[in-house]
Amino acid sequence: MEKEVKYDFSNSTCRQDSNAEKYTLREELFGTIDVEPMWVADMDIDTPDFVLDAVKKRLDHKVVGYEEVPDSAFLAQIEWMKKEHNIEFNLEDMIYSHSVVASMNTAIDAFTSRGDKIIVQTPVYPPFFHSVKEHGRVLLKNPLKLDDDGTYHFDIKDLKSKIDERTKLLLLCSPHNPVGRVWKKDELQEILDLCLEHNIVVFSDEIHSDLVYSPNKHIPFASLSKKARDISVTCSGVGKTFNMAGFTMSSVAITNKTLKSKFLESYNKFHYAQGSSLSHVAYEAAYKNGKEWLEELKIHLYKNYKMIQELCSKYQNYIKITPIEGTYLAWLDCRGMGLKDKSLRDFFIKEAKLGLSAGLSFGREGSGFMRLNFAVSTTKMMKVIKDLDKALSVQYSK
Ligand SMILES: Cc1ncc(COP(=O)(O)O)c(C=O)c1O
């Protein structure tokens, strides 16, 4: 018997009148507002009611002054991480952050000095390499290896050949945006072994960790062993999972006291404060009530992915979809279309009327690829598929 569904993702609230970045920046990025925005990694799916209701309830209290993050918010997250990801943190390990990218910048400031090398595995979410350069550190690029079947892997041999005594930090994207990999234990272990050997700190960005499709399983880097915990910093939060990036709250978990105090030295320089009172209650409500919603969301997202996969198989000589294990980001290999990057982007904007992220923005290795965010309602997904099918059929007269 089919399980009864509780949540409906067939339609979603229009975001155009809410100052949503993916809409407001269309003209600037795509030169037109006549595109369906499928770029920024947030969802065109309503933030769940159990989050919104908690915020409304908080507003019954008539004062919104300075507040500390309540222990209950991080305790709810700790409980979630234990149950969902088999990792145990304590309250004293948890640090508030308004943004994972800000935490990454703080880690760079804390654990490296000017001229030190930082490992980044491209193609990757652009702030990974921008942050390194903006701090005057040296980018040590360790591109992922692309197999014939379209899946990506770490290139450990390349990494080994590049590490030297100035290599101090590795920025790990786990699960990986944009290639959709959920790293396996043995893959992470190889990274750990190398980092232990060379005294390299691992900044593990696990913001997409809840958006993993069965049978894949997210393995927190810090869960590998006591040694892994000792050399790593783990970032996660509810922003992606429950579509609440606008609440700007995430966490940094550090168990090693020396690393933590180094991190806090940099952190305190920037006066992060403690976030907003509304974020605190939203965060806690999400972790306490989100399990069922998330399970249904993932089923919905995977159906969207399958729709794109089906379309790609119709045009398999031109466009291929990278097999996905996690995230709601489809990494489209469009090299078969034989277009230069600018023309490829123009095709999606002008012919399909879709605003996607250009592969090149994730590093040189993204040339010929486009990233499509498929976290939208069924209605919107069907329209996108129709528009893309039409554009491709005109181009390839199917
Ligand atoms: C891998 C990764 N890290 C961090 C972020 C952004 O996180 P935040 O908004 O908390 O800075 C994103 C957003 O797309 C992401 O994909």
Side-chain angles (χ1 to χ4, degrees):
M1 210 169 68
E2 277 216 4
K3 207 175 152 222
E4 203 181 319
V5 293
K6 193 164 156 193
Y7 300 100
D8 179 10
F9 300 104
S10 54
N11 289 293
S12 62
T13 303
C14 174
R15 298 183 63 198
Q16 290 208 50
D17 56 357
S18 70
N19 205 27
E21 189 176 317
K22 62 165 51 145
Y23 289 89
T24 55
L25 291 181
R26 280 181 299 181
E27 179 75 51
E28 187 179 323
L29 289 177
F30 306 109
T32 171
I33 59 160
D34 190 20
V35 283
E36 192 61 64
M38 312 291 282
W39 60 292
V40 173
D42 65 11
M43 303 195 249
D44 266 15
I45 281 181
D46 292 3
T47 305
D49 281 342
F50 49 82
V51 170
L52 303 179
D53 289 344
V55 174
K56 287 177 198 158
K57 185 155 171 266
R58 169 63 186 80
L59 289 172
D60 287 343
H61 190 287
K62 305 282 182 218
V63 185
V64 187
Y66 285 125
E67 284 179 28
E68 296 277 287
V69 178
D71 286 353
S72 53
F74 280 145
L75 285 172
Q77 181 180 7
I78 288 170
E79 190 59 26
W80 175 277
M81 290 171 96
K82 191 164 136 193
K83 276 202 189 126
E84 300 301 316
H85 305 305
N86 203 19
I87 174 97
E88 287 196 42
F89 287 114
N90 295 316
L91 203 48
E92 76 248 28
D93 306 328
M94 308 299 283
I95 302 168
Y96 161 83
S97 171
H98 64 281
S99 136
V100 171
V101 174
S103 307
M104 185 189 297
N105 279 277
T106 310
I108 291 173
D109 187 74
F111 304 130
T112 67
S113 309
R114 215 158 243 282
D116 280 348
K117 296 182 183 172
I118 301 179
I119 304 158
V120 171
Q121 295 165 308
T122 47
V124 75
Y125 177 55
F128 276 59
F129 40 87
H130 294 321
S131 304
V132 173
K133 290 183 187 157
E134 280 155 13
H135 283 266
R137 282 22 172 194
V138 178
L139 191 65
L140 193 160
K141 263 176 81 171
N142 169 227
L144 298 172
K145 255 192 319 196
L146 177 57
D147 278 359
D148 291 343
D149 65 357
T151 56
Y152 286 83
H153 298 276
F154 294 134
D155 190 342
I156 297 294
K157 199 166 150 217
D158 173 75
L159 186 55
K160 271 187 186 157
S161 73
K162 289 176 176 168
I163 289 177
D164 62 18
E165 69 287 349
R166 295 271 347 226
T167 312
K168 300 285 194 244
L169 181 66
L170 182 144
L171 303 179
L172 180 70
C173 194
S174 175
H176 194 98
N177 168 10
V179 308
R181 276 299 319 277
V182 174
W183 305 115
K184 305 264 181 295
K185 199 169 177 181
D186 54 339
E187 295 178 296
L188 292 169
Q189 186 66 45
E190 283 196 283
I191 294 284
L192 172 62
D193 292 344
L194 259 187
C195 291
L196 282 172
E197 188 185 334
H198 297 277
N199 243 336
I200 295 169
V201 175
V202 176
F203 176 91
S204 192
D205 176 345
E206 303 188 7
I207 190 82
H208 294 278
S209 56
D210 294 315
L211 296 157
V212 166
Y213 307 108
S214 177
N216 303 289
K217 184 102 191 72
H218 171 69
I219 315 261
F221 184 82
S223 73
L224 290 177
S225 63
K226 160 91 175 60
K227 284 181 179 163
R229 289 170 83 97
D230 270 350
I231 62 157
S232 65
V233 168
T234 305
C235 284
S236 54
V238 286
K240 304 284 169 211
T241 316
F242 299 104
N243 203 26
M244 44 193 287
F247 281 109
T248 60
M249 178 161 169
S250 61
S251 68
V252 184
I254 314 179
T255 53
N256 176 322
K257 299 276 174 293
T258 315
L259 280 193
K260 188 178 171 199
S261 76
K262 263 194 177 173
F263 184 87
L264 284 178
E265 220 177 279
S266 294
Y267 179 93
N268 290 333
K269 284 197 295 203
F270 301 116
H271 193 78
Y272 273 69
Q274 287 286 305
S276 100
S277 324
L278 302 185
S279 308
H280 302 159
V281 291
Y283 200 79
E284 181 171 338
Y287 278 126
K288 280 193 168 152
N289 305 294
K291 171 85 179 152
E292 209 180 347
W293 185 89
L294 178 61
E295 287 311 314
E296 291 190 21
L297 172 80
K298 286 196 289 183
I299 293 169
H300 165 74
L301 292 177
Y302 203 69
K303 281 185 189 156
N304 283 357
Y305 170 75
K306 295 299 276 183
M307 277 194 234
I308 310 169
Q309 192 182 44
E310 203 184 319
L311 179 71
C312 290
S313 66
K314 190 169 160 192
Y315 298 97
Q316 60 185 330
N317 292 337
Y318 311 102
I319 180 165
K320 293 189 173 70
I321 189 164
T322 302
I324 207 162
E325 296 173 345
T327 82
Y328 46 67
L329 307 163
W331 186 236
L332 303 175
D333 180 350
C334 308
R335 289 175 298 174
M337 292 172 74
L339 300 173
K340 292 227 156 57
D341 285 290
K342 162 118 188 25
S343 309
L344 179 61
R345 202 164 164 269
D346 281 352
F347 168 81
F348 278 94
I349 297 170
K350 293 184 183 147
E351 310 304 327
K353 304 210 179 309
L354 296 175
L356 270 52
S357 308
L360 211 48
S361 64
F362 299 87
R364 200 183 318 137
E365 300 73 19
S367 174
F369 287 75
M370 297 293 286
R371 192 193 74 174
L372 186 154
N373 172 351
F374 58 82
V376 295
S377 66
T378 311
T379 308
K380 188 169 283 187
M381 196 68 236
M382 285 166 73
K383 183 180 175 302
V384 168
I385 294 287
K386 201 167 143 220
D387 291 347
L388 186 53
D389 191 9
K390 195 165 153 215
L392 287 165
S393 70
V394 169
Q395 192 91 345
Y396 302 111
S397 53
K398 279 255 161 187

